[in-house]
Amino acid sequence: MTGQERRAQVLAVAEQEFAVAGLHGVSTETIAHRAGITQAYVFRLFGTKKQLFLACVDAAFERMTLAMLGAGGASGLEALTAMGREYDAMLADRTTLLLQLQGTTAAAAGDPEVRDAVRASFGRLWQAVADTAGLDPVAIKAFLAFGMLLNTGAALELAEVDEGWARQARTRIQPGLFNHITTETNQ
Amino acid sequence: MTGQERRAQVLAVAEQEFAVAGLHGVSTETIAHRAGITQAYVFRLFGTKKQLFLACVDAAFERMTLAMLGAGGASGLEALTAMGREYDAMLADRTTLLLQLQGTTAAAAGDPEVRDAVRASFGRLWQAVADTAGLDPVAIKAFLAFGMLLNTGAALELAEVDEGWARQARTRIQPGLFNHITTETNQ
DNA sequence: CAGCTAAGTTAGTAGGTAGTAACTAGAAAC
DNA sequence: GTTTCTAGTTACTACCTACTAACTTAGCTG
């Protein structure tokens, strides 16, 4: 296997592990074993555990950002509707959603390297949504806020909770909502 | 110092540590040392590290829930406005916000004990907001979604970021927004 | 003062942790 | 046909980890 192929494979394994367990919740040994290599080689490929973690988080935000940019073409509300569909499709990809969450919480630890990297990723995502939709800042903010709630839902596995509040957390929001937000906040 | 006093003190220290570093990001030794006792005594007081962590997360959600319930009295939109003020005041209490985030991400690991506890806490918070405001489910959902975004902002320390998107993430949302949401989703 | 209880410590176990240095097998290059 | 590069391993260090059992000290009570 070439270096690039191996790197991609290790990254894929690491993403799954970090997504559920977080930076300190899984060992490099576990990741290496699942990838079928020795732990020492993981360090050869990625330098430090933190760098591997950040590569995973970055990839997750990048996937989400590209999905949002890919929903462009149409403008304004239509673009937001398309992005909503994209975000909804992302619900199936639990790893991506959880990595955003894990990156965000890891950023709270105060390590500037982690914090700055996650900030930058989040900023790019925000900017992508804002540029693609071109709507009122409040509508963009609302859109991303619902995104954060979906991430929470993924972590708590609300899909399998049969209670009133959990069902309400699951209901798809109507795209028209953001149109009303835009209209009302600009009146 | 009595057992109860010591318990409360250890809990306070543990909350601060877990809030920034998460369940696996801080050792019981560190917490014990900061509380001025031996590590062994922490286990005598709380049984396991996980139980101590869950006690911290529980306390954070409980504080938030009580703050929301305390904003009641008025009904409907006025209650939501008051709750918004409460949530905004909570921004000063970074520990509480981050513990919600840490609890949520820890729940992703698949441990049923953690997941069920955090689910229950989150459900109680949701129910408290819903009962106090008594508004449309979509408005409640939007309110809590913005809450999740504030938690994210706390983790990334967006308050000190001087970029367009970060400034938009900081802007207070107008309470009237939720009224429009209620009106529009019920039309 | 004897006995009990509550608060707390000492000293350990058993295993995991990130990270490093030195080595090796095979293929490609000149 | 030797050299050089690439993918990968072995073997290790130094230390941290949650958790336990047995002991101690001080105050309260009969």
Side-chain angles (χ1 to χ4, degrees):
Chain A
M1 201 179 282
T2 72
Q4 276 194 335
E5 282 172 340
R6 187 63 86 181
R7 230 187 110 92
Q9 184 220 1
V10 172
L11 203 77
V13 169
E15 281 193 39
Q16 289 179 27
E17 293 290 332
F18 282 138
V20 298
L23 173 54
H24 301 296
V26 64
S27 67
T28 53
E29 169 61 37
T30 301
I31 293 168
H33 185 256
R34 267 201 55 193
I37 57 174
T38 56
Q39 175 240 18
Y41 195 43
V42 172
F43 283 87
R44 182 87 137 229
L45 289 171
F46 290 92
T48 65
K49 190 189 188 187
K50 195 166 73 179
Q51 281 177 315
L52 172 57
F53 176 74
L54 287 180
C56 293
V57 173
D58 227 63
F61 271 102
E62 185 74 7
R63 271 196 298 276
M64 184 63 83
T65 303
L66 286 177
M68 294 301 118
L69 289 173
S75 66
L77 185 62
E78 283 168 44
L80 242 177
T81 306
M83 284 194 287
R85 258 199 306 274
E86 281 295 327
Y87 214 120
D88 239 55
M90 277 286 183
L91 283 183
D93 183 6
R94 197 165 174 252
T95 298
T96 298
L97 296 191
L98 291 185
L99 273 175
Q100 292 179 54
L101 211 51
Q102 296 288 2
T104 304
T105 54
D111 183 329
E113 198 179 335
V114 176
R115 194 198 54 195
D116 292 351
V118 179
R119 261 186 198 165
S121 287
F122 194 75
R124 276 193 295 271
L125 174 60
W126 190 297
Q127 208 63 57
V129 173
D131 290 351
T132 307
L135 286 178
D136 191 273
V138 178
I140 305 301
K141 183 174 177 178
F143 181 83
L144 284 158
F146 280 112
M148 297 303 103
L149 190 62
L150 286 178
N151 290 355
T152 302
L156 300 181
E157 295 178 283
L158 291 189
E160 57 181 46
V161 177
D162 192 28
E163 296 178 39
W165 65 273
R167 274 192 297 273
Q168 288 169 13
R170 278 201 294 273
T171 54
R172 270 204 71 178
I173 46 161
Q174 299 304 313
L177 182 63
F178 298 107
N179 200 27
H180 298 315
I181 291 176
T182 299
T183 310
E184 295 298 339
T185 55
N186 283 337
Q187 81 186 355
Chain B
M1 200 178 281
T2 72
Q4 277 195 334
E5 283 171 339
R6 187 61 88 180
R7 230 187 110 91
Q9 184 220 1
V10 173
L11 204 76
V13 169
E15 281 193 39
Q16 289 180 28
E17 294 290 333
F18 281 138
V20 299
L23 173 53
H24 301 297
V26 63
S27 67
T28 54
E29 168 61 37
T30 300
I31 292 168
H33 186 255
R34 267 201 56 193
I37 58 173
T38 55
Q39 177 236 22
Y41 195 42
V42 172
F43 284 88
R44 181 89 136 226
L45 289 171
F46 289 92
T48 65
K49 190 189 188 187
K50 195 166 74 180
Q51 281 177 316
L52 173 57
F53 177 74
L54 287 181
C56 292
V57 174
D58 227 63
F61 271 103
E62 184 74 7
R63 272 197 298 277
M64 185 63 83
T65 302
L66 287 177
M68 295 302 118
L69 289 174
S75 67
L77 186 61
E78 284 168 42
L80 242 177
T81 306
M83 285 194 286
R85 259 199 306 273
E86 281 295 326
Y87 213 118
D88 240 56
M90 277 286 183
L91 282 184
D93 183 8
R94 198 166 174 252
T95 298
T96 298
L97 296 191
L98 291 186
L99 272 175
Q100 291 179 55
L101 211 51
Q102 296 288 2
T104 304
T105 54
D111 183 329
E113 198 180 335
V114 176
R115 194 197 54 195
D116 292 350
V118 180
R119 260 186 198 166
S121 287
F122 194 74
R124 276 193 295 272
L125 174 59
W126 190 297
Q127 208 63 56
V129 173
D131 291 350
T132 307
L135 286 178
D136 191 274
V138 178
I140 306 300
K141 183 173 176 178
F143 181 84
L144 284 158
F146 281 111
M148 297 303 103
L149 189 62
L150 286 178
N151 290 354
T152 301
L156 300 182
E157 295 178 282
L158 290 189
E160 57 181 45
V161 177
D162 193 29
E163 296 178 39
W165 66 273
R167 274 193 297 274
Q168 287 168 16
R170 278 201 294 273
T171 54
R172 271 204 69 178
I173 46 161
Q174 300 303 315
L177 182 62
F178 298 107
N179 199 28
H180 298 315
I181 290 175
T182 299
T183 310
E184 295 299 338
T185 55
N186 284 337
Q187 80 187 354

